[in-house]
Amino acid sequence: MLEADVLKFTPETMTTAQRQQFFADGFLVLEDVLLMIWGTDPYFAYQPMSLLGSVDIAEMTFATYNLTLIALAAVVGLGLWLGLTKTKWGKLLLAVIFDREVSQAMGI
């Protein structure tokens, strides 16, 4: 009986609400697995921050770790912008985001 119930939920036969529930349940299971692996104790990033040291800029002291994170965020942002504006996949994605009906009519 259980096998028949599980087999009837294929991606083709699931409604949108069932898909959303399926993914929500999957995230809850993933959260439980992560808690079993690493537990609930917080982990802090003191060690990388202390290893990188600090930099003096205009008579102000900044942690090198924080400046590295800012630079990394800028590189990731630039990469995403270039990916969305300069590639075929990015342009298709933007077309679907801004006008889904026309994109569907065009076969995207």
Side-chain angles (χ1 to χ4, degrees), residues 68-78:
T68 304
L69 289 180
I70 292 170
L72 180 65
V75 168
V76 168
L78 180 66

Side-chain angles (χ1 to χ4, degrees), residues 26-92:
F27 282 120
L28 290 175
V29 169
L30 178 64
E31 179 184 8
D32 289 341
V33 169
L34 293 176
L35 284 174
M36 285 191 310
I37 293 171
W38 286 288
T40 58
D41 293 333
Y43 292 97
F44 299 106
Y46 294 125
Q47 196 171 16
M49 291 179 74
S50 64
L51 289 175
L52 291 175
S54 60
V55 175
D56 292 329
I57 300 174
E59 299 180 9
M60 295 177 65
T61 303
F62 296 98
T64 308
Y65 181 78
N66 293 341
L67 296 176
T68 304
L69 289 180
I70 292 170
L72 180 65
V75 168
V76 168
L78 180 66
L80 287 172
W81 176 76
L82 287 172
L84 285 173
T85 58
K86 304 296 183 190
T87 64
K88 180 182 177 182
W89 286 99
K91 290 178 182 179
L92 291 173

Side-chain angles (χ1 to χ4, degrees), residues 5-26:
D5 290 339
V6 172
L7 292 177
K8 73 178 180 180
F9 287 113
T10 61
E12 294 84 21
T13 61
M14 292 173 70
T15 64
T16 303
Q18 288 172 332
R19 280 193 197 110
Q20 290 174 350
Q21 186 66 46
F22 180 75
F23 286 118
D25 292 344

